[in-house]
Amino acid sequence: MPVRRLVHVFALGAALAAAPAAAWAQRDGKVELTLPPPAARGADAPSVHEENLLADHRMQDLLVNGFPARLHHRLEVWSAGGWFNDLVSHIEWDVIVRYSPLEKRYTVARIESNRVTTLGTFDKIQLVEEALSRPYQPLMRPPSRSDRYYYSLLVDVEMLSVSDLDEVERWLRGELRPAIQGKKNAGTVITRGVRELVVQLLGGEHRHYEARTGKYSVTSDR
């Protein structure tokens, strides 16, 4: 990491950490699940709808300073027909939001089952929020056995990937071989340490959301 950027990162972290909490008050984010029509519930997954997940100014400032946002989704389907609820299956996917200072544009991409889908490039964070708020129906096979079920959605929004940020960016650019075989230079270790320190200064920019559907029935004749 260049010295100039290193100083900038420390300054950013210190400034954000020192800012009054009230200055970052934003509209609450929310996630929702909508079941398909009854006749389709044995074939189609529910639709996911989310709003204001990046409305926090602290997250937006990190975005424009080179830290992408990762929205990790986990959709679970549970059986509820017995004494205890049982996890039947689940699916996970990520949405990555990055900002290019050179182009002054945001890029939004969805990663699901090693498949990358670009959701668009935008010049305003409000347009990014609009793209993220579009209903999405994941590629999940619902249970078909006769029983009662419900869906549960967990969404975690974080500004720094748990894995190395550089590797995430290279992966998104199409370089699908992250350097995980001991070939990293010392600069990578230093960079990771700086990023972890910034996260600590910021108090850890992480948001967690949950949603679930009501219970529904799948009959054997579907």
Side-chain angles (χ1 to χ4, degrees), residues 95-110:
V95 174
I96 304 295
V97 180
R98 295 182 298 158
Y99 180 76
S100 170
L102 183 61
E103 300 177 355
K104 296 184 178 180
R105 295 182 68 83
Y106 299 87
T107 300
V108 184
R110 180 185 295 116

Side-chain angles (χ1 to χ4, degrees), residues 16 51 66 91 112 138:
L16 292 176
E51 292 183 359
I91 187 173
E112 183 177 3

Side-chain angles (χ1 to χ4, degrees):
M1 177 181 284
V3 174
R4 180 178 300 177
R5 187 181 179 191
L6 181 62
V7 173
H8 180 69
V9 167
F10 273 113
L12 172 67
L16 292 176
W24 306 108
Q26 290 292 320
R27 296 167 297 173
D28 292 336
K30 67 176 183 179
V31 297
E32 296 178 340
L33 283 173
T34 303
L35 286 170
R41 291 175 184 175
D44 297 332
S47 295
V48 176
H49 178 247
E50 47 200 35
E51 292 183 359
N52 303 327
L53 299 193
L54 295 178
D56 187 287
H57 282 175
R58 189 187 296 251
M59 289 187 168
Q60 293 178 10
D61 284 347
L62 285 170
L63 264 175
V64 299
N65 280 279
F67 296 93
R70 174 177 180 257
L71 290 71
H72 180 72
H73 302 72
R74 178 184 171 96
L75 180 63
E76 302 172 341
V77 57
W78 291 76
S79 69
W83 288 101
F84 301 99
N85 297 341
D86 295 317
L87 179 63
V88 177
S89 64
H90 76 277
I91 187 173
E92 299 184 47
W93 71 94
D94 290 317
V95 174
I96 304 295
V97 180
R98 295 182 298 158
Y99 180 76
S100 170
L102 183 61
E103 300 177 355
K104 296 184 178 180
R105 295 182 68 83
Y106 299 87
T107 300
V108 184
R110 180 185 295 116
I111 305 172
E112 183 177 3
S113 301
N114 294 323
R115 181 177 60 256
V116 179
T117 303
T118 300
L119 304 183
T121 57
F122 312 94
D123 58 2
K124 296 180 180 180
I125 190 64
Q126 292 81 1
L127 297 178
V128 173
E129 288 279 10
E130 289 180 10
L132 295 177
S133 68
R134 297 169 188 158
Y136 174 63
Q137 192 171 45
L139 300 176
M140 182 180 192
R141 189 179 186 86
S144 56
R145 181 171 57 89
S146 179
D147 205 343
R148 287 176 58 79
Y149 301 94
Y150 67 89
Y151 289 90
S152 174
L153 175 67
L154 310 176
V155 181
D156 289 285
V157 182
E158 58 184 0
M159 295 310 301
L160 291 180
S161 176
V162 175
S163 60
D164 190 353
L165 174 62
D166 290 331
E167 291 178 5
V168 172
E169 292 178 345
R170 287 200 300 269
W171 195 90
L172 289 170
R173 289 198 302 265
E175 302 171 24
L176 302 180
R177 295 182 180 180
I180 57 175
Q181 299 177 348
K183 298 180 181 180
K184 295 180 180 178
N185 57 34
T188 303
V189 178
I190 294 173
T191 298
R192 178 177 296 172
V194 169
R195 288 168 181 151
E196 291 176 352
L197 177 58
V198 171
V199 172
Q200 293 173 6
L201 286 172
L202 297 175
E205 284 311 307
H206 177 268
R207 304 286 186 273
H208 179 77
Y209 303 92
E210 296 185 13
R212 60 181 288 179
T213 66
K215 299 176 183 178
Y216 71 96
S217 297
V218 174
T219 59
S220 58
D221 57 351
R222 286 185 187 145

